[in-house]
């Protein structure tokens, strides 16, 4: 009994010491500069999750003179084996690499003959992947009180065509996440 009482006393003393602090006096506010603005998601492709919603997956930066073509190549390669455990794609297997033309206001993605018709989900994957390749997303800090927010850049119009179909602006059924 005496041993147990002694052990309880030692434990209580240790807890009291730990809860009383480490002896460091409190300090005032320390100025450290601007707040962090977050990471840039500049190279990613969009696949579908179990609910058929788009999910961005980061890809390593690969130097390429045409970032849109590089992003589309990554998308057409499909999810990695690990990603395919929880993600899928609406793009048909063995879809050929399209011809891609980029200018300041328009991106034309032209698939060759023999390309099957693409579903709305496949078009959404292509549209969002292409948009991200041209306009990386960055978390934007809130403007100071009373200041106007910086205007967002307008992404280019994206046209996706398959053989025997005239180019048309590709509608995005929902905003890109």
């Amino acid at each position: 009994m005496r041993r147990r009482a002694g052990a309880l006393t030692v434990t209580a003393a240790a807890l009291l010491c730990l809860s009383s602090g480490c002896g460091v006096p409190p300090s005032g506010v320390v100025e450290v500069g601007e707040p962090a603005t977050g990471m840039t998601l500049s190279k990613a492709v969009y696949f579908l999750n179990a609910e058929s919603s788009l999910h961005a997956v980061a890809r390593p930066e690969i130097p390429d003179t045409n970032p849109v073509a590089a992003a589309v190549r990554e998308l057409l390669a499909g999810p990695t084996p690990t990603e395919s455990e929880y993600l899928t794609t609406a793009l048909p297997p063995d879809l050929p690499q399209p011809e891609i033309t980029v200018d300041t206001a328009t991106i034309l993605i032209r698939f060759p003959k023999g390309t099957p018709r693409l579903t709305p989900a496949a078009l959404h994957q292509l549209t969002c992947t292409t948009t991200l390749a041209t306009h990386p997303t960055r978390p934007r800090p809130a403007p100071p009180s009373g200041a106007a927010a910086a205007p967002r850049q307008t992404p280019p119009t994206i046209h996706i065509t398959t053989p025997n179909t005239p180019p048309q602006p590709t509608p995005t059924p929902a905003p890109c996440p």
Side-chain angles (χ1 to χ4, degrees):
M1 188 70 134
R2 232 181 231 190
R3 233 184 234 195
R4 190 170 184 189
L8 285 174
T9 303
V10 170
T11 302
L15 287 174
L16 181 63
C17 287
L18 289 174
S19 66
S20 66
C22 59
V24 176
S27 64
V29 174
V30 178
E31 294 293 330
V32 293
E34 293 294 315
T37 57
M39 293 178 19
T40 300
L41 181 59
S42 62
K43 182 70 188 282
V45 294
Y46 284 91
F47 294 118
L48 302 172
N49 62 22
E51 293 81 34
S52 297
S53 298
L54 287 181
H55 179 84
V57 179
R59 290 291 186 256
E61 287 291 333
I62 299 170
D64 197 302
T65 57
N66 186 339
V68 173
V72 170
R73 261 193 316 275
E74 291 282 335
L75 178 63
L76 295 181
T80 66
T82 301
E83 293 165 353
S84 64
E85 292 177 13
Y86 60 96
L87 296 172
T88 187
T89 182
L91 296 165
D94 302 322
L95 193 62
Q97 181 71 27
E99 175 187 332
I100 298 173
T101 308
V102 179
D103 69 30
T104 56
T106 306
I107 297 173
L108 176 61
I109 300 174
R110 187 178 303 125
F111 284 94
K113 288 183 179 180
T115 301
R117 182 176 287 269
L118 300 176
T119 65
L123 292 172
H124 200 192
Q125 280 184 265
L126 278 164
T127 301
C128 289
T129 297
T130 302
T131 300
L132 182 60
T134 59
H135 285 75
T137 61
R138 293 175 180 84
R140 294 164 39 118
S145 180
R152 290 193 182 267
Q153 278 189 307
T154 303
T157 301
I158 300 168
H159 299 274
I160 301 173
T161 65
T162 53
N164 304 320
T165 305
Q168 299 175 23
T170 304
T172 302
C176 298

